Amino acid sequence: MPAFKTLDDLTDIAGKRVLVRVDLNVPVTDGKVSDKTRIERVAPTIQELSEKGAKVILLAHFGRPKGEPVADQSLSLIAPAVEEVLDQSVAFASDCIGEPAATAIAKMNNGDILLLENTRFHKGEEKNTPEFVAELARNGDIYVNDAFSAAHRAHASTEGLAHHMPAYAGRTMQAELEALEKGLGQPTRPVVAIVGGAKVSTKIDLLSNLVTKVDALVIGGGMANTFIAAQGINVGKSLCEHDLADTARSIMETAAKAGCDIVLPIDGVVAREFKANAENETVDINAIPADAMMLDVGPKSVELINGWIERAATLVWNGPLGAFEIAPFDKATVSAALHAADQTKAGKLVSVAGGGDTVSALNHADVAEDFSYVSTAGGAFLEWMEGKELPGVAVLTKG
Ligand SMILES: Nc1ncnc2c1ncn2[C@@H]1O[C@H](COP(=O)(O)OP(=O)(O)O)[C@@H](O)[C@H]1O
Ligand SMILES: O=C(OP(=O)(O)O)[C@H](O)COP(=O)(O)O
């Protein structure tokens, strides 16, 4: 467990401006937050600071807007859900720096909560530029990082700020690291990892290290399409990063050398439209029509995956097996989630899952409570699993 200062070390903060980095990158369907887990997890930190009389200023990102404002990635869309979870009013500033932020902060009373607009609306956030860090730092006296799920990013609001002011870990940051250490510090073998989802380019590099740590890697979702295509199989219009074919092949070679089984789908559910109840068919993996996309892994693959879950003593899971938000493409994810939950309840499995959408998928399958541990983090949790130093955590230990 890394040594860092926590909220226990923060006394006498009435009237202090506390910049709190939280992860509000939550799933949204039809303009409404469809899973509030990440908000619920950071609520204790926000409430504790507010109760101690601090002016609580929330910093967060939402989506990947590439340094420019994008209307549907405004945190104003998330603010009502934050208010609902906290059961407290939350003010909103239309920019995280400059005059809008300064004016909103000047109006705050002790204990008030203010949400600043998406930090990724500025290029300096992801580049972690000294100028942008300084602009953010102007708004606070103390920095608290409670965004474990973004701690693998060395961004201005997750890393840079901690160099500029007294820095502390929030309650969720603390709890996540403690729980992961307890559940996965010395995992019982065999360890099986399931990696799916859509963030292929940002997660694929993690796999080359992960295959040296686990006994089997089950690949589903958009990630699987990239591996299938890398073997020369036509994936039609499926979500696939063809330019990562070499990376995928090299991961398979590393896995073979490390004795890690790679488990890829053998069939898939394909459709021509990405929408609920789209006309669909189940096909062999070698028979994906050129004009269709694989939106879920098929029933034979589910059987295969559930077999690996049975063989596992420890399961780590990030990324849904299919586009679970739109029926019926949730079937594989729900089936594997139910199976892992049953194995856990029977005392045969330690199951740890994480990621914004993965948590949402487990809630959709109504099994989140049955897993050994559910992390808010996906990529960060996988990097932690690899033994990598997370920049957002490392910087807290240096203060
Ligand atoms: N075959 C697929 N085609 C398109 N999207 C997919 C597919 N499989 C999974 N997804 C999408 O992946 C997204 C989640 O991916 P990701 O963000 O990597 O997971 P997490 O947030 O849990 O880390 C979901 O929105 C889901 O719809
Ligand atoms: O949702 C997140 O990560 P996750 O999809 O790995 O769970 C975090 O908010 C980090 O987002 P990013 O992957 O756009 O940096």
Side-chain angles (χ1 to χ4, degrees):
M1 185 66 196
F4 41 49
K5 289 192 192 135
T6 70
L7 300 198
D8 294 332
D9 301 295
L10 261 185
T11 49
D12 209 13
I13 53 167
K16 291 267 165 52
R17 300 167 305 160
V18 184
L19 292 174
V20 188
R21 181 46 158 105
V22 288
D23 190 348
L24 300 180
N25 197 23
V26 290
V28 171
T29 311
D30 299 329
K32 283 200 80 178
V33 175
S34 52
D35 189 279
K36 299 195 183 88
T37 306
R38 279 186 171 159
I39 306 174
E40 287 159 3
R41 294 284 189 98
V42 293
T45 293
I46 299 170
Q47 281 158 340
E48 185 174 338
L49 291 168
S50 165
E51 278 159 21
K52 284 179 176 171
K55 294 175 180 171
V56 186
I57 303 160
L58 305 179
L59 289 170
H61 75 279
F62 178 41
R64 291 177 166 176
K66 300 191 173 70
E68 300 284 343
V70 178
D72 68 0
Q73 290 174 355
S74 168
L75 278 170
S76 60
L77 301 170
I78 312 299
V82 179
E83 281 195 323
E84 199 185 308
V85 170
L86 294 174
D87 195 21
Q88 206 169 335
S89 72
V90 175
F92 181 76
S94 61
D95 199 347
C96 62
I97 55 169
E99 195 272 329
T103 306
I105 292 166
K107 286 187 193 150
M108 291 177 86
N109 294 312
N110 293 3
D112 280 357
I113 302 165
L114 169 70
L115 172 61
L116 302 181
E117 182 57 286
N118 197 339
T119 51
R120 289 189 185 171
F121 282 0
H122 293 272
K123 291 195 168 58
E125 164 69 347
E126 293 191 48
K127 291 194 176 128
N128 201 354
T129 61
E131 297 77 21
F132 185 65
V133 174
E135 295 251 40
L136 288 176
R138 205 166 288 154
N139 295 327
D141 307 303
I142 293 164
Y143 171 71
V144 171
N145 190 350
D146 211 23
F148 173 68
S149 42
H152 55 322
R153 309 288 180 220
H155 295 173
S157 68
T158 60
E159 200 270 348
L161 268 177
H163 295 285
H164 277 255
M165 54 181 75
Y168 300 80
R171 295 296 181 205
T172 285
M173 175 70 86
Q174 212 184 334
E176 290 265 24
L177 287 162
E178 275 168 15
L180 289 178
E181 188 57 47
K182 189 163 163 258
L184 297 176
Q186 283 166 325
T188 313
R189 291 191 173 268
V191 181
V192 174
I194 301 180
V195 176
K199 287 183 177 173
V200 181
S201 55
T202 57
K203 285 182 187 163
I204 198 163
D205 287 334
L206 306 179
L207 301 185
S208 49
N209 202 354
L210 194 68
V211 293
T212 66
K213 311 262 174 197
V214 301
D215 301 289
L217 172 64
V218 174
I219 308 179
M223 186 69 87
N225 301 338
T226 303
F227 277 78
I228 293 163
Q231 292 177 304
I233 295 170
N234 194 332
V235 295
K237 294 203 156 47
S238 304
L239 170 71
C240 176
E241 307 226 8
H242 292 278
D243 54 338
L244 294 174
D246 284 344
T247 311
R249 282 190 288 266
S250 133
I251 290 165
M252 296 190 77
E253 280 166 28
T254 309
K257 281 188 203 137
C260 170
D261 286 284
I262 296 278
V263 184
L264 286 170
I266 49 176
D267 59 350
V269 184
V270 301
R272 280 151 186 95
E273 290 173 286
F274 190 93
K275 65 170 200 196
N277 303 313
E279 202 176 305
N280 62 86
E281 58 184 314
T282 299
V283 297
D284 185 89
I285 211 67
N286 292 299
I288 299 173
D291 62 343
M293 53 197 153
M294 181 155 90
L295 293 181
D296 199 8
V297 307
K300 287 185 189 148
S301 308
V302 172
E303 219 173 287
L304 186 69
I305 293 168
N306 284 346
W308 279 99
I309 292 173
E310 273 162 41
R311 249 164 274 163
T314 305
L315 175 72
V316 293
W317 184 355
N318 168 247
L321 296 173
F324 76 96
E325 300 94 335
I326 49 169
F329 309 104
D330 58 343
K331 277 195 184 145
T333 304
V334 169
S335 170
L338 289 172
H339 201 60
D342 284 345
Q343 292 292 108
T344 309
K345 282 190 282 183
K348 295 177 185 162
L349 183 69
V350 172
S351 51
V352 181
D357 291 300
T358 307
V359 175
S360 173
L362 296 189
N363 283 330
H364 171 71
D366 203 15
V367 295
E369 302 290 318
D370 299 323
F371 270 58
S372 311
Y373 182 64
V374 176
S375 171
T376 57
F381 148 59
L382 291 180
E383 290 199 24
W384 177 90
M385 177 81 199
E386 285 181 82
K388 267 196 184 168
E389 188 178 70
L390 305 179
V393 176
V395 71
L396 294 178
T397 66
K398 290 181 184 133

